[in-house]
Amino acid sequence: LNLSPPAVASPYSIDEDSIYFTEYEGAEPTITQTPHHLEIDIRDDQILLAAKACLSRKGFSQALVVFTASGLVMNVLSTYLDYLVRGNYYGEYDASEYRGNKTGEISSAAKYVALIGALFQVIIMASSIIVGSVTDKTRSYFMVTLVLMVLGVFALAECGVSLDDDRDGDVRWSMLIVSGLLGPLLPVSTELAVELAYPLSENTVLVILQLSCNLLSALFIPLFQAVRDVGIGSSKAGNGGGADDDDGAAFVLGGGRPPYTFSFYLLILICSASAVYFATFNGKYLRLEAELAKKRGMNTDRRPLVPSL
């Protein structure tokens, strides 16, 4: 008869006297296991404790900002990809041509949108695999993230410039470049956050990152649409708008700007501020240090004894 108390499995493998135990206590569910029973205790404030534990690590906030900014750009471009690919930002298009005729045939415009959208997602996946494999081998999360963020800002700026009528179609290719530069930041910043938040589990870290990204995206996507016409009043002067339609933003943006110009300026501002903030990164790769310490311990145990003289 086994009268021993039930085993309580810690959500992370650390010693009882580890400095991380008190800091992360309660941040993850507690698992109680008996021979024929498994009980998982999830607290009501579990997500708050997990967020507090993650943000207490140096550098985690920088990784969180990068993940949120890159995810925000991907979500915004995916949402408005239809309008940006068609290139008719004023919405003056023939609905029958775009939606297909009465026979049910899909129009060429719809096929083109589907093609660009598919390429957009494929490039994100391919670049994420390539960049992710490189960073997993080199562990150069900081340098890779910073370089991609800076290049992504320039690519977003090119998207904003490509909205002009005299560069019809360029914005579509600029969007694909953005997907190849900012898309890989999602897995790279996730791995960086896991390194910093160790010994918290990867699932807990990913929940915090996804929650922040989805909340900001839900707030910004309507704003992206709401400010689409900011600063374009002077571009319609020839259509009877005149100076009275100018909302004052043309003084900053210049005259004759197409719709969504100010929206892209906001995206560029968010990514630029995120890159500058990430440059202040001062975190430690705790998971890497733990792996190296474990390897050193294994090598010490396997070292042959020197025969005494």
Side-chain angles (χ1 to χ4, degrees):
L1 180 63
N2 185 9
L3 299 178
S4 59
V8 178
S10 173
Y12 33 77
S13 300
I14 55 176
D15 298 331
E16 291 290 334
D17 57 349
S18 174
I19 59 173
Y20 303 115
F21 184 79
T22 56
E23 183 176 352
Y24 288 111
E25 186 175 5
E28 291 189 321
T30 302
I31 303 175
T32 305
Q33 184 176 4
T34 59
H36 303 287
H37 182 71
L38 178 64
E39 181 179 351
I40 302 177
D41 183 19
I42 301 178
R43 300 176 49 162
D44 295 336
D45 57 347
Q46 198 77 63
I47 189 67
L48 297 179
L49 292 175
K52 181 179 179 181
C54 290
L55 292 173
S56 65
R57 309 309 302 168
K58 289 183 178 181
F60 185 87
S61 61
Q62 283 89 340
L64 176 64
V65 168
V66 170
F67 183 93
T68 303
S70 57
L72 172 66
V73 173
M74 296 298 101
N75 292 336
V76 170
L77 294 183
S78 299
T79 302
Y80 296 101
L81 184 139
D82 176 37
Y83 300 95
L84 297 174
V85 168
R86 283 189 290 108
N88 198 334
Y89 315 112
Y90 291 98
E92 298 171 356
Y93 66 96
D94 187 358
S96 61
E97 169 63 20
Y98 173 68
R99 298 172 185 172
N101 53 35
K102 295 181 180 180
T103 62
E105 296 180 359
I106 302 176
S107 66
S108 58
K111 293 179 181 179
Y112 191 66
V113 171
L115 176 61
I116 297 298
L119 285 175
F120 186 83
Q121 299 299 330
V122 168
I123 291 176
I124 292 177
M125 292 187 294
S127 59
S128 298
I129 293 174
I130 296 174
V131 176
S133 61
V134 172
T135 52
D136 286 342
K137 294 179 181 178
T138 62
R139 298 295 180 97
S140 55
Y141 299 107
F142 174 76
M143 184 58 62
V144 171
T145 301
L146 187 60
V147 170
L148 289 179
M149 280 295 295
V150 173
L151 294 179
V153 171
F154 284 104
L156 276 176
E158 177 63 22
C159 282
V161 174
S162 299
L163 293 174
D164 291 339
D165 294 335
D166 57 350
R167 301 188 60 179
D168 183 34
D170 290 351
V171 66
R172 304 158 191 171
W173 311 117
S174 300
M175 289 172 54
L176 297 180
I177 297 176
V178 171
S179 67
L181 293 174
L182 296 184
L185 287 178
L186 294 173
V188 172
S189 58
T190 300
E191 287 297 321
L192 176 60
V194 171
E195 288 278 352
L196 301 171
Y198 181 85
L200 281 176
S201 67
E202 296 181 5
N203 291 335
T204 300
V205 174
L206 185 58
V207 166
I208 302 301
L209 298 178
Q210 290 283 5
L211 182 61
S212 174
C213 178
N214 292 337
L215 285 177
L216 185 60
S217 297
L219 295 175
F220 185 81
I221 287 177
L223 177 64
F224 187 87
Q225 174 68 18
V227 299
R228 67 186 294 271
D229 294 329
V230 173
I232 71 169
S234 59
S235 65
K236 297 183 179 181
N239 296 329
D244 294 337
D245 292 335
D246 189 4
D247 53 15
F251 179 77
V252 178
L253 303 178
R257 297 289 92 189
Y260 292 109
T261 298
F262 187 76
S263 302
F264 270 97
Y265 279 5
L266 292 181
L267 276 182
I268 296 171
L269 179 62
I270 291 175
C271 289
S272 300
S274 301
V276 172
Y277 181 64
F278 182 78
T280 64
F281 178 82
N282 61 344
K284 293 183 179 180
Y285 298 164
L286 299 179
R287 186 176 63 175
L288 177 60
E289 292 180 357
E291 293 175 358
L292 295 177
K294 185 177 180 180
K295 290 181 180 179
R296 286 194 297 266
M298 294 175 60
N299 293 335
T300 302
D301 295 338
R302 296 176 181 177
R303 184 179 303 170
L305 298 177
V306 179
S308 57
L309 299 178

